Amino acid sequence: MPGTFEPLPGGGAAVALDDVEISIIRSLAVQLLELIGPGPAEGAPADPLAELFAEGPSEPPADPVLRRLFPDAYSDPERMPDSPKEAEERETYSAEFRRFTENDLRAGKRHSALAVIRSLDALAVEGGGGAVLKLSPDESRQWLGALNDLRLAIGSRLEIVDEDDTDLLYRLPDDDPRKPMVMAYLWLGGLQETLVATLMS
């Protein structure tokens, strides 16, 4: 089981993690939370109707990682607009879509990253030396979302655009400063792949 998710009887998934792996995943999840940004203010009144109609940003984020996590809904990088009017319409539709969806997307990604941190913190309470992380079906889906977001974030920093870029990562020399980030990217990919297979079994 080390390093791979396996199904639990009755649903969910389990993976054996050592202390270093726990520390790496937790640190990356905390960094992801910081990147996504805080949620609603602690003292803000809880008005579900106001939250439902709260507007988010209409402009894409400046940070390339956040642009990868929150892409434009109406952009098609493989097809240029046929006219300036079409380009303007795409921009307008993307801005409107972002304005009404990004807050919810951020909340969902924040929720998944927090679920990862909390489950790892619960493992740490059990004692050192690593442990077997056991996740319910809901927790497994939260982990899957967070692992995907972490890989998107790291992939963006590594400027991975397609599969050819990933192939080049395997051939990086050991003294390349990107090597630790590449190793984390590939390792998280393995975790994500086995978790997907576990949830589909």
Side-chain angles (χ1 to χ4, degrees), residues 4-94:
T4 61
F5 278 96
E6 294 185 3
L8 285 173
V15 61
L17 298 170
D18 63 31
D19 286 344
V20 172
E21 292 169 331
I22 291 169
S23 175
I24 290 170
I25 296 173
R26 190 186 188 286
S27 174
L28 290 172
V30 167
Q31 291 176 54
L32 181 64
L33 271 180
E34 291 170 354
L35 186 65
I36 292 170
E42 290 289 324
D47 180 352
L49 192 59
E51 285 181 23
L52 182 64
F53 292 102
E55 293 184 7
S58 58
E59 295 293 320
D63 187 309
V65 174
L66 288 175
R67 278 200 306 273
R68 180 78 65 93
L69 291 172
F70 306 104
D72 277 335
Y74 291 90
S75 65
D76 183 354
E78 296 186 13
R79 190 179 80 76
M80 294 299 292
D82 293 331
S83 66
K85 182 180 179 186
E86 184 185 346
E88 187 179 330
E89 285 174 351
R90 271 196 206 175
E91 193 173 310
T92 300
Y93 295 149
S94 289

Side-chain angles (χ1 to χ4, degrees), residues 4-186:
T4 61
F5 278 96
E6 294 185 3
L8 285 173
V15 61
L17 298 170
D18 63 31
D19 286 344
V20 172
E21 292 169 331
I22 291 169
S23 175
I24 290 170
I25 296 173
R26 190 186 188 286
S27 174
L28 290 172
V30 167
Q31 291 176 54
L32 181 64
L33 271 180
E34 291 170 354
L35 186 65
I36 292 170
E42 290 289 324
D47 180 352
L49 192 59
E51 285 181 23
L52 182 64
F53 292 102
E55 293 184 7
S58 58
E59 295 293 320
D63 187 309
V65 174
L66 288 175
R67 278 200 306 273
R68 180 78 65 93
L69 291 172
F70 306 104
D72 277 335
Y74 291 90
S75 65
D76 183 354
E78 296 186 13
R79 190 179 80 76
M80 294 299 292
D82 293 331
S83 66
K85 182 180 179 186
E86 184 185 346
E88 187 179 330
E89 285 174 351
R90 271 196 206 175
E91 193 173 310
T92 300
Y93 295 149
S94 289
E96 285 296 297
F97 187 82
R98 181 179 298 280
R99 197 156 56 96
F100 291 109
T101 60
E102 188 168 311
N103 284 347
D104 284 343
L105 289 173
R106 282 181 185 263
K109 292 179 185 301
R110 205 169 18 248
H111 185 67
S112 294
L114 278 170
V116 167
I117 292 167
R118 288 179 181 134
S119 58
L120 293 176
D121 286 350
L123 274 188
V125 170
E126 294 174 10
V132 175
L133 175 70
K134 295 180 180 177
L135 302 172
S136 70
D138 282 345
E139 291 169 331
S140 298
R141 286 186 285 277
Q142 290 172 327
W143 263 75
L144 189 57
L147 287 172
N148 186 60
D149 289 341
L150 289 172
R151 290 194 77 237
L152 283 174
I154 295 171
S156 180
R157 290 286 186 241
L158 291 170
E159 299 179 351
I160 295 171
V161 177
D162 56 34
E163 198 61 38
D164 290 341
D165 296 330
T166 305
D167 292 341
L168 291 173
L169 298 180
Y170 286 101
R171 297 193 292 273
L172 284 179
D174 289 341
D175 59 353
D176 191 298
R178 297 170 294 172
K179 192 72 173 188
M181 201 183 307
V182 167
M183 297 305 293
Y185 177 81
L186 297 174

